Structure formats: C-alpha cells, structure tokens
Amino acid sequence: MDKRKMKINFTLIAAIIGFMIAVQFQTVKKPEDRDTRDIWQLREALLKEKELQSNLLNEIRSNEEKLSAYKSKREQSKEKALRDTLNELKTDAGLTEVTGPGITLMIEPVMENIQLGETTKNVVSPELLKRLLNELNMYEAKFVSIDGQRVINTTVIRDINTETKIDGHTIKELPIEVKVVVNDHSTAEKLYNRMKVSKARDEFFTENLRLDVNAPNPEITVPAYQNPIRIRYMEPVKEGSGS
C-alpha cells in the first residue's frame, strides 16, 4: 500500500514537473513581441520623426506668415482707401494743385478804344467775374482760377473800396488770366466752342473789356487754394456719442 501511494505521488510530481517544463519551453519558443531593431534603425526612425516635425513646424510658420501678410495687406488696403478718399476730398475742396485738359481765357482792355482816347477800366467788376464763373460752371468747368487765385465753393468776389477782391486778393491791373480744367479733352473742346460764342464776351465788351478764349490745352494747371478754409456750423463728434 505504501509502495502504491509512493508511486502515485511520484507520478503526480513527475506530471507537475513535466507541465512546468512544457510551460517553460513554450515561453522560450514564443517570446513576447519586442522591438528587435538595431541602434541605426532606431536613429533613422528618430530622424524621420524629427523631419516630419520640422516640416509641420515650417508649414505652420508659413501659414502664420501668410495670415499675417493678409492682415497687413487688408490694413494697408484700408489705409490706402482712406488716403485716396482724403486726397479726393482735398482735390474737390481745392486744397491741391490740379493739372488736366482745359482752356485759358484772357481779360484785357479793348485796345481800339484806348487808341481813340476813350477811358477804360483798369479792373473788371465783381459782377462780370461772377457771371463768367456761372457760365463756366454751366459748361462743366471743374476747377477754376482767376488771376492765380483758386476759386472754390466758398470763394467771395466783391468790391471793397472800388477794388475787386477774390477772397482778399486784389485784382490790380489787366490783363487777367482765367484758367479752367475739365474732366477730359472732349469736354474742353465743347467748353471752348461754347465760350467762343458766349454772351459773356458781349458783356465784357460792353465794359470796354475783351474776353479772349484760347484753344484747348491738354495740360492746364490750376493752383491750390492758399487761404485757410473756415468751417462754420460744424462740430467734431465726441467719442461714444449716440448722435
């Protein structure tokens, strides 16, 4: 009985040992998966990762530069639009010198009357100048100067102590040059043809003055308005004001 028991125990021990050997053999035969690459392969993989990272950073930087350039261009576009608008307003207000197609007119005394001994006026009256300006504006004159003085919307032509003044500038003697700038050469041609048969010429001749109209010129220069422009009935809007 003892021998049989010992035999069973031996068999169980042998089975256990055999099972352990089998498990160990299986573990050695099928090891867990692990990175078997050598040091150079690992370095190459690391370099590829760094290169990919560098490319991504460069792409991000490029996109940021493009975005910054777009914002800058948009701001510059706004500034340019404001500058263009400001320059346009200055031109319309008469604060800049203007060169363009137009004509010149000369106001001078009638020489035939002087030779006959008649007395002639040395200056032109404000009324004649105003009527001339009205007629020029009716024929699409855009920019006008009289005796070197720019005429704008607020210009005042009047008689002060028997002297004709344009915004304080005294017209002392004849001849007087009137410069007119229009939009284009075609308009300059029309203005020239109309002024050649204008009633203003008859009105000037009645006052012993001659109004000569010169042929259109592609480059007539009208000077800028020199006097300070006084703005009335306007106030700057306060920041945050609802009105």
Side-chain angles (χ1 to χ4, degrees), residues 29-43:
K29 185 179 180 181
K30 295 183 178 180
E32 294 181 0
D33 291 339
R34 60 179 180 176
D35 198 337
T36 58
R37 293 177 295 179
D38 59 23
I39 186 71
W40 295 108
Q41 289 175 326
L42 291 174
R43 286 182 178 179

Side-chain angles (χ1 to χ4, degrees), residues 136-191:
L136 290 172
N137 290 330
M138 185 172 60
Y139 297 146
E140 300 182 56
K142 193 169 185 180
F143 308 109
V144 180
S145 67
I146 299 175
D147 197 30
Q149 298 298 305
R150 179 70 171 268
V151 177
I152 63 175
N153 291 334
T154 59
T155 290
V156 177
I157 303 175
R158 56 185 174 180
D159 185 302
I160 300 179
N161 296 327
T162 69
E163 292 182 338
T164 299
K165 292 182 178 289
I166 302 177
D167 288 334
H169 169 75
T170 302
I171 298 179
K172 297 181 179 179
E173 58 184 15
L174 301 176
I176 299 171
E177 185 178 45
V178 179
K179 294 183 177 181
V180 186
V181 172
V182 295
N183 284 326
D184 49 52
H185 183 73
S186 175
T187 306
E189 288 281 357
K190 292 178 182 178
L191 177 61

Side-chain angles (χ1 to χ4, degrees), residues 74-154:
R74 187 173 62 179
E75 292 299 323
Q76 291 176 1
S77 177
K78 290 181 180 178
E79 291 178 5
K80 184 178 183 300
L82 288 174
R83 286 196 299 268
D84 291 345
T85 302
L86 179 60
N87 291 333
E88 184 178 350
L89 291 173
K90 283 184 176 180
T91 300
D92 291 340
L95 299 178
T96 59
E97 181 180 275
V98 178
T99 299
I103 64 172
T104 60
L105 304 95
M106 297 297 296
I107 302 173
E108 54 190 3
V110 177
M111 299 304 298
E112 293 83 352
N113 292 344
I114 294 177
Q115 292 175 358
L116 292 174
E118 294 185 14
T119 58
T120 59
K121 294 183 178 180
N122 291 325
V123 294
V124 57
S125 68
E127 289 72 21
L128 280 177
L129 291 179
K130 291 176 184 178
R131 285 200 289 269
L132 175 62
L133 284 173
N134 289 336
E135 193 158 1
L136 290 172
N137 290 330
M138 185 172 60
Y139 297 146
E140 300 182 56
K142 193 169 185 180
F143 308 109
V144 180
S145 67
I146 299 175
D147 197 30
Q149 298 298 305
R150 179 70 171 268
V151 177
I152 63 175
N153 291 334
T154 59

